[in-house]
Amino acid sequence: MAVTMQTAERRLGRRLLLPTTVLLVLMVGYPIVWALRLSLYSDSITGATRFLGLDNYTRALWGADAERFWSAAWNTALFTVTAGGLELVIGVAMALVMHHLGAFRGPVRAMILVPWAIPTAVAAVLWQWMLTPNGIVNDLLGRQILWTGETTAARAAIVLVDVWKTAPFVGLLVLAGLQLIPKELYESAKMDGAGALRRFTSVTLPLVAPAILVAMLFRILDLMRLYDTPAILTNGANGTTTLSLFTYQEAIDQVRFGYGSALSTLTFMLVFGVALLVIRGCGVKVFETGEGRR
Amino acid sequence: MKKSLLCVAALLALAGCSGSTPADNAGASGGEEGRGPIAVASRPDPGGVFQTLADRWNESHPGEPVELIEQPQSSDDARAQLVQNLQARSTEFDLILANNVWISEFAARGWIAELPADELPADGLLEAPLATAEYDGALYAVPLFTDAGLLYYRTDLVPEPPSTFAELIGYCDIAAAQGMGCYAGQYAKTDGLTVNAQEAINAAGGDVLDESGAPDVGTAEAAAGLQLLRDGFDQGWIPREAITYTEEEGRTAFQQGRLLFLRNWPYMHNLASAEGDGNVVAGKFDVAPLPGIDGPGASALGGWNLAVSSYSEHPETARDFALWLLEPEQQRTLVTDGGLSPVLAELYDDPELVAQYPYLPTLKDALANARPLPKSPVWSAISLAVQDSVYAVLQGELDPADAVEQLQAALTDAIENA
């Protein structure tokens, strides 16, 4: 009797999942499969395509475009590590500030979140004005830095804009994690004689780690697809062409959907691989903190 | 929980709304086959000149009204938007105002329809702009307005405009004494850099593509042209910040009195002549043909053409409107109301217009010497390759001689890979 109940329930569950499954297959599965198919075909002005096998992939990985592809991959990695790292540190700091503010928490939180609410493209244009050779940033610094005209400065500008915009988002995610930590833990830690630093490293950090990890994963996935800021600020000049920008230049600017699909598939595989590494690599730690909590 | 469900429902409702567009009422107006209301993908229109022309047409053609839809400001963005529309065979636009360098590609892809050449005005059209409207021996567009680069210079500081770069560099002491930059063009990594690179290469006697459309840039002349721009940055007669300049940054610098010479398009003449708001050069500047190396230089030919979309439902009206815009009355309005450069030769000598726009005779000479930009279905790949190589030269990362070799290979690949 119990067994049949269970089977019936399972069957109902499966049936209830059906609409979602169909939707996912249509919205996610179909485009992926179609892009994979496209990536195996050539592009031509006349619209006649022929099967190429993996030629589009070899062209990017070690063929005529290898230099451009790998430099874009390297730029993307650089932005992911620097901007992601800074956002994490600043975001956690912001979260701690917001968490410990009593009465002003609401207004401060709203203020910190303003940059995140501004669309990326608008933020990039705003910063573009401020970063012109005779703009306000150089005026305040008292020197003329060509923010969009030199490799180091251009990369720094893009990291700056991205950190300015997304550190608050990381802060918000981490703040949510902080607010879940029961007060009693701090009280008992205090009774056990733990100082402020010890309480931070032994109570706060381990318990907020899952939230930080989720924020980190979000940022890594996002930064590996970084497009709008470099597209607007530098148009990819001076070592700021990311994988997405390169893909856009090929797929949209030059109407090469086959080659563009190959590039986006490569980007997808890179992002997927990194995400898997992060989840597997750090997921263990999440599990351990979970055990420790019990 | 209930609240969030409500939110989701609201979002879905919104998505539903935007999904169902009002029914297409094309054909409702009846009339002949291929005639009816048309939509034109036109340029941003701050002075309202395109709207004036459309209103004039609409008054006399009540059954075939024209609606203008603005493209994005930047030419690169405008092209991206058009490409997406045309790729999807969208019927949104009937007539497309296209940068003349896109015509070959759009025609080769079958996105724009061939036009009967015998319906053009028999004579009076400038030849160079008309040539940009042709592809593979057939007419695919009509030129609406044209463009050539001019040398803007400060008449209060420079007695005679320079006709060569040697003369120009000779004036740079004046700029130094005034604490201003000497010369600049468009060197940020956009299509503007392709234009400036071609002009430098042309000035030195080289070319990007040969007559047949094959890459011809791996030459000592082309290298000499790029060396000239590189020298400008190395020797300081092009200010360092010019590496970030597109048309507008250069115009701002010139109007703020930070530049002695500037290569720019005619559009800036009106703006720089208007007094006020930080503009210190009103009445203190003039234009001259671009300088060259041994004599006057040659501008690259800009300009925009009107092409009928292959997916238009009312192509007859679209074609008639395009041809109507070539009539002297409409072309004159383009000049008087918009400050655009007409494609009818007679208007450049018209005393009334010259009184309003004193640069017209200079522009006529510049147009007569102007060289077309690379005419190829893979223009955007060519432009990107030129930008990559030339930008590296200007940044001092690549030797001009190596750059032209590399560019030759990249162009060959781009054309073969089409």
Side-chain angles (χ1 to χ4, degrees), chain A residues 17-92:
Chain A
L17 276 178
L18 198 67
T20 321
T21 316
V22 170
L23 208 68
L24 276 179
V25 166
L26 279 179
M27 307 277 289
V28 182
Y30 174 74
I32 290 181
V33 172
W34 190 250
L36 278 173
R37 198 196 90 93
L38 263 182
S39 73
L40 303 177
Y41 284 83
S42 71
D43 304 289
S44 78
I45 296 278
T46 53
T49 56
R50 64 193 165 80
F51 186 74
L52 278 184
L54 295 176
D55 281 7
N56 279 334
Y57 292 91
T58 55
R59 179 179 166 92
L61 290 175
W62 55 80
D65 278 347
E67 203 184 318
R68 290 174 68 203
F69 178 81
W70 289 111
S71 95
W74 160 245
N75 292 336
T76 309
L78 192 76
F79 288 135
T80 307
V81 171
T82 50
L86 281 171
E87 279 156 23
L88 213 60
V89 173
I90 296 174
V92 170

Side-chain angles (χ1 to χ4, degrees), chain A residues 43-45 59 64 68 133-134 144 146 148-151 235-238 248-249 252-257, chain B residues 79-80 83-84 87 105 108-109 189-190 240-241 243-244 258 377-378 380-381 384 391 395 397 413-414 417-418:
Chain A
D43 304 289
S44 78
I45 296 278
R59 179 179 166 92
R68 290 174 68 203
N134 299 290
Q144 199 183 55
L146 298 181
T148 56
E150 282 161 16
T151 304
N235 196 19
N238 299 305
Y248 178 90
Q249 284 171 349
I252 308 295
D253 280 351
Q254 307 195 19
V255 206
R256 289 197 189 141
F257 292 112
Chain B
R79 182 178 166 281
V83 163
Q84 283 174 38
Q87 182 76 25
E105 179 193 357
R109 292 190 190 277
K189 212 172 159 214
T190 65
R240 216 168 57 90
E241 64 173 86
I243 196 76
T244 67
R258 292 189 279 115
V378 289
S380 70
L384 194 65
Y391 196 81
Q395 288 286 30
E397 292 159 5
D413 177 63
N417 193 32

Side-chain angles (χ1 to χ4, degrees), chain B residues 109-129:
Chain B
R109 292 190 190 277
W111 289 342
I112 53 179
E114 198 182 325
L115 301 174
D118 52 11
E119 285 188 25
L120 283 177
D123 50 21
L125 280 184
L126 291 172
E127 269 171 41

Side-chain angles (χ1 to χ4, degrees), chain B residues 20-350:
Chain B
S20 64
T21 47
D24 209 50
N25 52 10
S29 55
E32 286 171 68
E33 187 75 9
R35 298 198 168 272
I38 58 166
V40 182
S42 78
R43 296 295 299 155
D45 192 15
V49 61
F50 296 138
Q51 195 56 54
T52 307
L53 289 170
D55 290 346
R56 191 183 296 166
W57 165 273
N58 290 345
E59 250 170 55
S60 51
H61 299 78
E64 310 165 73
V66 164
E67 185 199 356
L68 301 180
I69 300 172
E70 274 187 22
Q71 301 167 0
Q73 176 71 45
S74 120
S75 164
D76 298 353
D77 293 345
R79 182 178 166 281
Q81 194 203 48
L82 287 173
V83 163
Q84 283 174 38
N85 257 292
L86 292 165
Q87 182 76 25
R89 298 165 184 262
S90 155
T91 52
E92 187 176 356
F93 304 123
D94 298 280
L95 191 64
I96 294 160
L97 188 52
N99 195 319
N100 71 38
V101 291
W102 308 336
I103 297 296
S104 299
E105 179 193 357
F106 287 11
R109 292 190 190 277
W111 289 342
I112 53 179
E114 198 182 325
L115 301 174
D118 52 11
E119 285 188 25
L120 283 177
D123 50 21
L125 280 184
L126 291 172
E127 269 171 41
L130 184 59
T132 66
E134 288 162 3
Y135 172 69
D136 212 9
L139 187 71
Y140 278 90
V142 297
L144 179 65
F145 59 92
T146 184
D147 238 347
L150 296 170
L151 182 72
Y152 288 78
Y153 69 100
R154 291 282 296 272
T155 44
D156 56 335
L157 299 172
V158 178
E160 272 295 304
S163 62
T164 65
F165 273 99
E167 285 175 40
L168 184 147
I169 295 166
Y171 284 129
C172 287
D173 292 341
I174 302 175
Q178 300 281 332
M180 58 207 283
C182 190
Y183 173 79
Q186 292 78 45
Y187 308 120
K189 212 172 159 214
T190 65
D191 279 351
L193 178 60
T194 311
V195 169
N196 279 260
Q198 169 170 326
E199 286 172 354
I201 289 170
N202 286 164
D207 222 330
V208 179
L209 303 184
D210 67 13
E211 297 281 314
S212 71
D216 188 26
V217 80
T219 59
E221 288 84 5
L226 299 188
Q227 184 69 52
L228 177 77
L229 293 180
R230 167 77 164 270
D231 286 348
F233 281 97
D234 285 353
Q235 297 164 4
W237 50 271
I238 299 179
R240 216 168 57 90
E241 64 173 86
I243 196 76
T244 67
Y245 282 6
T246 64
E247 284 80 359
E248 280 296 274
E249 285 87 356
R251 176 173 77 82
T252 310
F254 188 80
Q255 288 185 186
Q256 291 176 347
R258 292 189 279 115
L259 269 180
L260 186 59
F261 298 106
L262 173 68
R263 179 244 173 258
N264 208 340
W265 305 98
Y267 85 95
M268 121 166 203
H269 200 283
N270 266 0
L271 298 164
S273 301
E275 300 217 19
D277 226 21
N279 179 14
V280 301
V281 300
K284 293 187 202 161
F285 75 96
D286 203 351
V287 292
L290 294 180
I293 288 183
D294 299 320
S299 165
L301 188 69
W304 292 73
N305 300 343
L306 283 165
V308 177
S309 162
S310 300
Y311 312 113
S312 166
E313 281 163 352
H314 302 131
E316 301 284 321
T317 303
R319 198 181 65 197
D320 286 357
F321 180 60
L323 289 169
W324 176 83
L325 286 167
L326 286 183
E327 289 172 10
E329 194 192 340
Q330 277 65 255
Q331 284 280 311
R332 177 179 286 268
T333 306
L334 277 179
V335 193
T336 54
D337 291 25
L340 298 167
S341 316
V343 293
L344 285 186
E346 61 184 57
L347 297 178
Y348 287 87
D349 304 315
D350 186 291

Side-chain angles (χ1 to χ4, degrees), chain A residues 254, chain B residues 379-390 406-407 410-411 414:
Chain A
Q254 307 195 19
Chain B
W379 150 261
S380 70
I382 289 175
S383 180
L384 194 65
V386 170
Q387 291 169 37
D388 276 338
S389 301
V390 177
Q406 183 191 309
L407 182 54
L411 293 184

